Amino acid sequence: MRIVVDAMGSDNYPEPDVAGAVMAAREWRDEIILVGDERRIEAELAKHDTAGLVLRVVHASEVIEMTDKPAESAKQKTDSSMHVGMNLVKDGEADGYVTMGNTGGVLAVATLHTLKRIRGIKRPALAGILPTGSGHFVSADIGANADCRPEFLVQFALMASAYAELVLGIERPRVALLSNGEEEGKGNALIKETAPMLADLPMLNYVGNVEPKEIVRGDADVVIQDGFTGNVFLKTMEAAAKMVSQLIRDEIMAGTLTKVGGALARPAFDRAKKKIDPSEVGGAPLLGVDGVVIIGHGRSDALGVKNGIRQARMAIEANVIEAIREGAARM
Amino acid sequence: MRIVVDAMGSDNYPEPDVAGAVMAAREWRDEIILVGDERRIEAELAKHDTAGLVLRVVHASEVIEMTDKPAESAKQKTDSSMHVGMNLVKDGEADGYVTMGNTGGVLAVATLHTLKRIRGIKRPALAGILPTGSGHFVSADIGANADCRPEFLVQFALMASAYAELVLGIERPRVALLSNGEEEGKGNALIKETAPMLADLPMLNYVGNVEPKEIVRGDADVVIQDGFTGNVFLKTMEAAAKMVSQLIRDEIMAGTLTKVGGALARPAFDRAKKKIDPSEVGGAPLLGVDGVVIIGHGRSDALGVKNGIRQARMAIEANVIEAIREGAARM
């Protein structure tokens, strides 16, 4: 496999991006193509033992920064590490693309300027692979499309279900709509209109509405919503988890005995934290563009980058793009 | 003060409802009017020492159950404890109404069949008083209106800001819109359209968009969104908090030393839990109907009911309905 890694993606680029790429090259022995400022990448690589690894550097003179406006910079910075990297995939010189960069930027570069959408796909969806109490589920859209029509959600469901089945190995994934009530007929206008359309698709294992409590209980493998709701859901999960951990920590530090207890229980806290750490998953596939694209968190460390590359490997191995192409052709 | 309590509201009615009413009557010495099945209420009251308390029972022959369809039952069960209770407020025989019952039912009975909306108010909003890491904020709407127009959100902002100021005593409450990004211009179509309208209102201390992480950090006193997003936000907070607590508990129980540590740290866990327990707040005001209405969680225990009554007392004392009436007249 040949995987492109955006060396200028993360908040602290190129350090974690290059370090994660080296880790991945060592673990899986794939060809890794680092795209970005050649000098900075070489300087970073010099810090690692890269003997025997297949690491290439491809220069890109521009960077789409986290603070850049997505549409504008995607149009103007045509020699960015995103443009150059995704064009390598488009031209068949690489099998997938991994970045920790500006999500809106990736979306614009992928959809409008390089890979483009798969024929028949109305909107690409960003699909998060998120933790429940006991496993994971695929959540789409989590931020690519703030405003959606029912037919977009139907396509998100088909693509995310294919991803869950082919890449994550879940047989007949249970597909649900995120709603304000699990009962049939609950929801806003978008959900109410989408629900019967999903129920009508025999290839989907549609199980109805779910509320957040059912999601964390593991009642669905794929949860569908518009990108605004999905993004608020994801960020609320993260914020609540952090708030609760912080509250518990503060209360533990407030007493002598509880402090001792907290020290003894420390390994348990660390294990719990690891279970819901987004770095453990590494990235979200951008479904519906014509090539494997994985977008990770800007805050990712080297482990996050490495795990993003693992997501890309899994998607490439499962040939998920071809499956979506075939699905879209039958829509 | 004379406060009506729906004796047939909670999931386990009338036990927690009556017990909470007795607790409140003892603590604040108000007149409490219990509405519902007279025999069952009397039987429940007989379990308590009510000497010296001002407790009245008003019979209502019907109950809007949790499983009832709101609009239908509100129309048909005209002698329900909700109809009878809210009519006491409407007729000036009581100052406020507290129920742990079917939210949709309360909404329909209040808006369409008894108290009605305050003149000029387009939609009532359910306003949650929710915990941050260090205090509380008012979140509206959290479930009364799944689909909203910008002008509804503007009214929610004005009502919730008045509530935060008058009832919770927050001076110049910071009002924000819940969005998928804190930057100006982020959001779905509804948020983008509402933002400049809020910025144009000099009586509001509008501070822009907030993401969930800013909310739990305490960056806003009032957070506005449509009732679908607000309901998903609220339920995600609850589900994530439960998931994280459960994960930590499971990991603590998985080792001998961590188990000992967990036992010692137990009081800290209990204090943290109490800080985010919805029973500690007791209920959400339904803003925009012409009378004080507080809706609590169906799962509430007696403490939750008592604290719901406390919310009603605070709203009555602050004369918040009159303030909203005056505000609406100037809209």
Side-chain angles (χ1 to χ4, degrees):
Chain A
M1 278 187 212
R2 302 155 305 165
I3 298 170
V4 181
V5 176
D6 181 0
M8 322 303 276
S10 78
D11 294 348
N12 301 310
Y13 72 79
E15 196 262 314
D17 315 76
V18 172
V22 171
M23 283 167 75
R26 186 171 297 130
E27 180 149 345
W28 298 300
R29 300 279 149 182
D30 300 318
E31 177 179 344
I32 303 284
I33 307 165
L34 282 157
V35 177
D37 184 322
E38 199 164 10
R39 281 172 178 234
R40 294 185 67 176
I41 298 173
E42 296 289 3
E44 208 54 47
L45 279 172
K47 298 180 189 166
H48 298 274
D49 174 15
T50 57
L53 307 183
V54 193
L55 285 159
R56 261 176 70 200
V57 178
V58 170
H59 184 66
S61 64
E62 292 177 294
V63 178
I64 294 182
E65 309 280 357
M66 285 296 179
T67 47
D68 279 348
K69 290 199 171 163
E72 242 168 65
S73 54
K75 205 170 165 189
Q76 288 163 0
K77 295 184 171 177
T78 53
D79 198 44
S80 82
S81 58
M82 293 185 189
H83 290 79
V84 174
M86 285 190 248
N87 274 331
L88 289 171
V89 178
K90 191 187 177 191
D91 298 341
E93 291 181 49
D95 305 303
Y97 180 80
V98 179
T99 178
M100 308 292 127
N102 183 324
T103 303
V106 187
L107 190 64
V109 173
T111 314
L112 304 173
H113 304 288
T114 58
L115 295 164
K116 309 281 171 73
R117 290 196 295 272
I118 289 171
R119 184 191 287 269
I121 296 294
K122 294 173 202 294
R123 293 285 187 284
L126 192 60
I129 296 150
L130 309 182
T132 66
S134 54
H136 288 89
F137 69 102
V138 180
S139 175
D141 180 16
I142 59 164
N145 312 274
D147 296 286
C148 287
R149 295 206 302 262
E151 55 270 32
F152 302 170
L153 265 57
V154 170
Q155 291 195 335
F156 299 170
L158 290 165
M159 294 192 292
S161 179
Y163 198 88
E165 184 152 12
L166 298 173
V167 182
L168 307 183
I170 302 167
E171 227 175 302
R172 295 242 345 118
R174 295 159 300 166
V175 177
L177 285 167
L178 173 57
S179 189
N180 57 345
E182 52 174 328
E183 306 87 350
E184 210 186 314
K186 283 266 188 166
N188 56 12
L190 176 66
I191 296 298
K192 286 181 194 166
E193 222 177 307
T194 308
M197 292 166 75
L198 293 183
D200 269 356
L201 292 175
M203 62 283 233
L204 270 192
N205 183 11
Y206 173 63
V207 297
N209 289 346
V210 282
E211 294 183 32
K213 68 168 180 274
E214 281 103 34
I215 296 175
V216 304
R217 207 163 64 194
D219 286 3
D221 304 303
V222 173
V223 180
I224 301 300
Q225 66 280 317
D226 67 78
F228 180 84
T229 305
N231 197 262
V232 168
F233 170 83
L234 170 65
K235 287 176 173 167
T236 305
M237 287 288 289
E238 292 176 351
K242 203 171 157 187
M243 182 180 107
V244 170
S245 315
Q246 188 61 49
L247 266 177
I248 293 174
R249 198 171 313 136
D250 289 351
E251 293 297 344
I252 281 176
M253 295 311 284
T256 310
L257 265 184
T258 56
K259 223 188 265 185
V260 174
L264 289 171
R266 182 63 187 269
F269 285 100
D270 291 343
R271 285 194 302 269
K273 196 179 170 187
K274 198 172 140 79
K275 279 201 174 162
I276 53 171
D277 181 359
S279 279
E280 296 292 321
V281 168
L286 181 61
L287 301 177
V289 296
D290 204 358
V292 169
V293 174
I294 306 289
I295 309 176
H297 218 298
R299 286 199 310 268
S300 296
D301 55 10
L303 178 70
V305 175
K306 183 197 139 190
N307 285 329
I309 296 170
R310 188 178 52 187
Q311 277 299 320
R313 300 189 84 249
M314 290 162 66
I316 295 164
E317 209 153 57
N319 212 354
V320 68
I321 300 295
E322 190 50 38
I324 294 175
R325 267 194 216 118
E326 283 171 18
R330 276 184 279 110
M331 270 173 203
Chain B
M1 280 187 210
R2 304 154 304 165
I3 298 170
V4 181
V5 176
D6 181 0
M8 321 303 275
S10 79
D11 293 348
N12 302 310
Y13 73 79
E15 195 262 313
D17 315 78
V18 173
V22 172
M23 281 167 78
R26 186 170 298 129
E27 180 150 346
W28 298 299
R29 300 280 150 181
D30 299 317
E31 177 178 344
I32 303 284
I33 307 165
L34 282 156
V35 177
D37 183 320
E38 198 162 15
R39 279 171 180 237
R40 294 185 66 178
I41 297 172
E42 297 288 3
E44 208 53 50
L45 279 173
K47 297 179 189 167
H48 298 273
D49 174 16
T50 56
L53 307 184
V54 193
L55 286 159
R56 262 175 69 198
V57 178
V58 170
H59 184 68
S61 64
E62 292 176 295
V63 178
I64 295 182
E65 308 281 356
M66 283 298 177
T67 48
D68 279 349
K69 291 201 171 162
E72 243 168 64
S73 55
K75 203 172 166 184
Q76 287 161 2
K77 295 183 169 179
T78 54
D79 198 44
S80 82
S81 57
M82 290 185 191
H83 289 81
V84 175
M86 285 190 248
N87 274 331
L88 289 171
V89 177
K90 189 187 177 190
D91 298 341
E93 291 181 48
D95 306 302
Y97 181 80
V98 178
T99 178
M100 307 293 126
N102 184 326
T103 302
V106 186
L107 190 64
V109 174
T111 313
L112 304 173
H113 304 288
T114 58
L115 295 164
K116 309 279 171 78
R117 288 196 296 273
I118 289 171
R119 182 191 291 266
I121 296 294
K122 294 173 203 295
R123 293 286 186 284
L126 193 59
I129 296 150
L130 309 183
T132 66
S134 54
H136 288 87
F137 70 101
V138 180
S139 176
D141 177 18
I142 59 165
N145 313 275
D147 296 286
C148 286
R149 294 204 303 260
E151 55 269 33
F152 302 171
L153 264 57
V154 169
Q155 291 195 336
F156 299 169
L158 289 165
M159 293 192 293
S161 179
Y163 198 88
E165 184 151 10
L166 297 173
V167 181
L168 307 183
I170 301 168
E171 226 173 301
R172 295 246 339 124
R174 293 159 301 166
V175 177
L177 285 167
L178 173 58
S179 189
N180 57 344
E182 52 174 328
E183 306 86 351
E184 210 186 313
K186 284 267 188 164
N188 57 12
L190 176 64
I191 296 297
K192 287 182 195 167
E193 222 177 308
T194 308
M197 293 166 74
L198 292 183
D200 269 356
L201 292 174
M203 63 283 233
L204 271 192
N205 182 12
Y206 173 62
V207 297
N209 289 346
V210 280
E211 294 184 32
K213 68 168 180 275
E214 281 102 35
I215 297 176
V216 305
R217 204 163 65 192
D219 287 2
D221 304 304
V222 173
V223 180
I224 300 301
Q225 66 281 315
D226 67 79
F228 179 83
T229 306
N231 198 262
V232 168
F233 170 83
L234 171 64
K235 287 175 173 166
T236 305
M237 286 289 291
E238 292 176 351
K242 204 173 160 187
M243 181 179 108
V244 171
S245 316
Q246 188 62 49
L247 266 177
I248 293 175
R249 198 172 311 135
D250 290 351
E251 292 297 344
I252 281 176
M253 296 311 283
T256 311
L257 265 185
T258 55
K259 221 188 266 184
V260 174
L264 289 172
R266 182 62 189 269
F269 286 102
D270 293 343
R271 286 195 302 267
K273 194 177 172 188
K274 196 172 142 80
K275 279 201 174 165
I276 53 171
D277 181 0
S279 280
E280 295 291 322
V281 168
L286 182 60
L287 301 178
V289 297
D290 205 0
V292 168
V293 175
I294 306 289
I295 310 176
H297 218 300
R299 286 199 312 268
S300 295
D301 56 9
L303 178 69
V305 175
K306 182 195 140 192
N307 284 330
I309 296 169
R310 187 178 51 184
Q311 277 298 323
R313 300 187 82 248
M314 288 162 68
I316 295 164
E317 210 154 53
N319 213 353
V320 68
I321 300 296
E322 190 51 37
I324 294 175
R325 266 193 217 120
E326 283 171 19
R330 274 184 280 113
M331 270 171 203

